[in-house]
Amino acid sequence: MSALVVENLSVVFGRFRALDALSLAVDAGEVRAVIGPNGAGKTTLLDVISGITKPRSGRVMFGDTLDLTRRSETEIARAGVRRKFQKPSVFPALTVRENLDIGCGTAMVPRLRAARIAEVLAETGLDPREDALAGSLAHGEKQWLEIGMVLASDPKIILLDEPVAGLSDSETERTAALIHALRRPDRAILVIEHDMVFVEAIADRVTVLHEGRTLYEGGMQGARADARVIEVFLGR
Ligand SMILES: Nc1ncnc2c1ncn2[C@@H]1O[C@H](COP(=O)(O)OP(=O)(O)OP(=O)(O)O)[C@@H](O)[C@H]1O
Ligand SMILES: [Mg+2]
């Protein structure tokens, strides 16, 4: 069953087409990686799904009835679609725990928050750092905290933009394990990444974007063997 269906999506900036009649469907329970060269439209796709950018045409269906292109950022987040941005955006002057509290959102009742924060601290492995200021964390820990903030509200769709950019190999492996642990039959995870070892470790399927269109969709092994993918992306 599809958790998210992108239909015929076009985004135009001036005379430039960032997304060009793009369609893709992500299943519930799936981890999908979106890969492709710089400027392919990967972040733009997440911007449309999360309501930051409105498309020229097309729609993004979440479930049977909700077209996310007609909703505000707040409505989309409340519906259970949460995003981690390309640049880590934690609140540096607040503690890890306080950041996770913000991630819980305004709708969660106070008595559930502490338990939820404890769960997320355990899942992300940040429990020893709960009282540390977010600004004092190592880069990898900041990335995990931001994933934790996304996770705190228990989202149905998780959007991650370059979660391992700038991480060491061991931090990258830990992030892959974290994403594996986040898989659930009723949740879809969409990850943009340039690190192909990481992508291979986490993704059920990959979508290769090029000039706002899908160049390839399928397993990572197939992507590595695809002549067009090698030409525009993997061969570089
Ligand atoms: N607000 C905007 N106004 C004009 N052009 C934009 C805007 N946002 C993105 N673009 C352009 O759209 C294209 C796609 O950008 P996008 O950020 O989606 O690429 P990306 O695939 O995420 O690339 P990267 O791997 O470098 O992060 C780029 O050429 C970019 O310059
Ligand atoms: Mg990007």
Side-chain angles (χ1 to χ4, degrees), residues 13 16 18 36-45 86 161-162 192 194:
F13 298 118
F16 179 74
N38 295 117
K42 304 180 298 293
T43 298
T44 302
L45 172 63
Q86 194 160 348
D161 199 348
E162 302 201 15
I192 295 175
H194 286 282

Side-chain angles (χ1 to χ4, degrees), residues 48-120:
V48 174
I49 296 170
S50 52
I52 293 166
T53 297
K54 294 299 169 198
R56 163 81 50 99
S57 56
R59 49 182 208 167
V60 177
M61 298 306 292
F62 172 47
D64 291 333
T65 53
L66 197 63
D67 178 1
L68 299 182
T69 67
R70 297 174 170 278
R71 301 289 157 176
S72 70
E73 280 179 71
T74 312
E75 287 171 323
I76 291 168
R78 286 218 181 109
V81 179
R82 294 283 170 134
R83 170 176 187 182
K84 180 207 164 304
F85 285 89
Q86 194 160 348
K87 274 194 211 146
S89 51
V90 298
F91 297 98
L94 300 179
T95 66
V96 167
R97 169 175 288 282
E98 287 164 341
N99 270 276
L100 293 176
D101 190 57
I102 290 168
C104 287
T106 49
M108 197 182 297
V109 300
R111 77 186 161 79
L112 294 179
R113 300 177 88 91
R116 183 67 194 138
I117 291 168
E119 281 171 10
V120 174

